Amino acid sequence: MTLPSPSPTPAGMLLREWRTARRLSQLALALDAGLSPRHLSCIETGKAQPSRGMLARLADALDMPLRERNALLVAAGYAPSYPETALGTPALAQIRRAIEFTLAQQEPYPAFLLDRHWDVLAANDAAQRVNRFVMHGRASAHANMLRQFFDPADLRPAVANWEEVAGELIRHLHNAVAAAPSDAKARALLEEVLAYPEVPPRWRSREPGAAASPLLTTVLRRDGHELRFFSTITTFGTPRDVTLDELHIECCFPVDDATARLCRQLAQEDAEAPAA
């Protein structure tokens, strides 16, 4: 009697999905993780049960985020390894102070704290001043940076080089979706922003290997004034918590003296304004 072939386990299916997303063959991933291609094939098809250590080696080779590593462990029947601590809890008080210090130090230039879906979790006063200035005193309707840039009723009309900036944001979002195949929220966000008016149809397809701009300048414009910024991204090194793994701080720096002067002017006007 022929025994039925084992069905792929949830962990095996996840590994194959991630390997495909990373464009790796079984041989390439096996070599990177230090196991035989046959053993990897058995894990993917459900013929072999991987140990926690083996899953950790495969996750390292696939460069999986901590949230996805937890999902892989759970799919294999193990407890997750990495906690997910709310940013407002006492355990992360020092991290919050570091974030607040970084945002404050960036004054009078904008800085934002964002999560992996580009939700703006915090921003310094400069970010709010610049937004109010270019949006004629209106507040943004969105707490998500991608929605702000793509919504014609939000920040988008103030971005003089919108197609260049939005195209780079779409490239990053496509890469995020490809890098985390199980991230339904990122995939839904991609579909949402692509549905906004006058988004070029070519942006619906990812361009694998497309080179990133070495220095992308965002140009904001209002009534003959221009603000030109480039950004740097700060992340937390070797995080052991899912929350920290998914946070980054974006700091905007003036490209020219005119932008620096206008930012200082806006800060001075804000300081001199009578209290409400």
Side-chain angles (χ1 to χ4, degrees):
M1 185 175 73
T2 303
L3 295 174
S5 299
S7 300
T9 62
M13 290 187 288
L14 269 178
L15 283 170
R16 185 164 61 245
E17 189 177 44
W18 273 88
R19 180 173 58 77
T20 301
R22 292 291 194 247
R23 291 180 166 79
L24 292 172
S25 65
Q26 281 188 339
L27 175 60
L29 177 57
L31 289 173
D32 287 345
L35 70 158
S36 72
R38 178 176 175 77
H39 190 182
L40 176 58
S41 176
C42 288
I43 292 173
E44 289 190 357
T45 58
K47 294 178 181 178
Q49 170 66 19
S51 66
R52 290 182 69 98
M54 179 61 69
L55 290 173
R57 285 158 55 188
L58 288 165
D60 284 341
L62 290 165
D63 193 25
M64 295 174 69
L66 299 191
R67 180 181 299 278
E68 312 304 334
R69 291 172 186 244
N70 278 348
L72 180 62
L73 287 167
V74 171
Y78 299 109
S81 288
Y82 303 98
E84 182 175 2
T85 310
L87 190 58
T89 59
L92 295 186
Q94 290 185 340
I95 295 296
R96 290 198 307 278
R97 284 196 290 270
I99 291 169
E100 290 164 3
F101 180 78
T102 303
L103 296 179
Q105 284 293 106
Q106 189 60 18
E107 290 283 348
Y109 312 121
F112 310 86
L113 174 69
L114 302 114
D115 64 15
R116 67 173 180 165
H117 297 120
W118 287 272
D119 290 324
V120 181
L121 305 181
N124 64 0
D125 291 341
Q128 298 174 52
R129 286 194 300 269
V130 168
N131 266 29
R132 285 198 305 268
F133 175 75
V134 299
M135 293 179 63
H136 299 269
R138 293 186 297 113
S140 175
H142 302 291
N144 180 278
M145 188 167 285
L146 284 167
R147 293 186 180 102
Q148 290 175 4
F149 271 88
F150 277 80
D151 187 349
D154 206 282
L155 184 63
R156 175 172 164 176
V159 185
N161 61 335
W162 179 80
E163 188 160 331
E164 179 186 8
V165 175
E168 189 72 2
L169 289 172
I170 279 290
R171 187 185 68 81
H172 282 294
L173 185 51
H174 269 298
N175 288 343
V177 169
S182 58
D183 189 345
K185 185 174 179 179
R187 194 175 301 277
L189 181 61
L190 176 61
E191 290 301 318
E192 179 184 342
V193 297
L194 287 172
Y196 277 113
E198 299 179 22
V199 172
R202 69 180 185 278
W203 289 359
R204 297 200 65 83
S205 301
R206 180 177 177 239
E207 297 180 46
S213 303
L215 182 64
L216 177 66
T217 299
T218 300
V219 183
L220 303 175
R221 184 176 292 164
R222 173 188 164 177
D223 301 335
H225 294 284
E226 281 193 350
L227 292 143
R228 297 173 174 267
F229 297 104
F230 72 91
S231 299
T232 62
I233 302 296
T234 301
T235 58
F236 293 91
T238 60
R240 302 290 297 176
D241 187 280
V242 172
T243 298
L244 300 185
D245 188 46
E246 296 178 351
L247 294 180
H248 67 272
I249 299 173
E250 181 169 349
C251 293
C252 302
F253 293 88
V255 171
D256 50 40
D257 290 339
T259 298
R261 283 196 302 271
L262 184 51
C263 286
R264 291 194 296 268
Q265 178 186 331
L266 292 174
Q268 184 65 30
E269 291 173 357
D270 197 38
E272 294 173 352

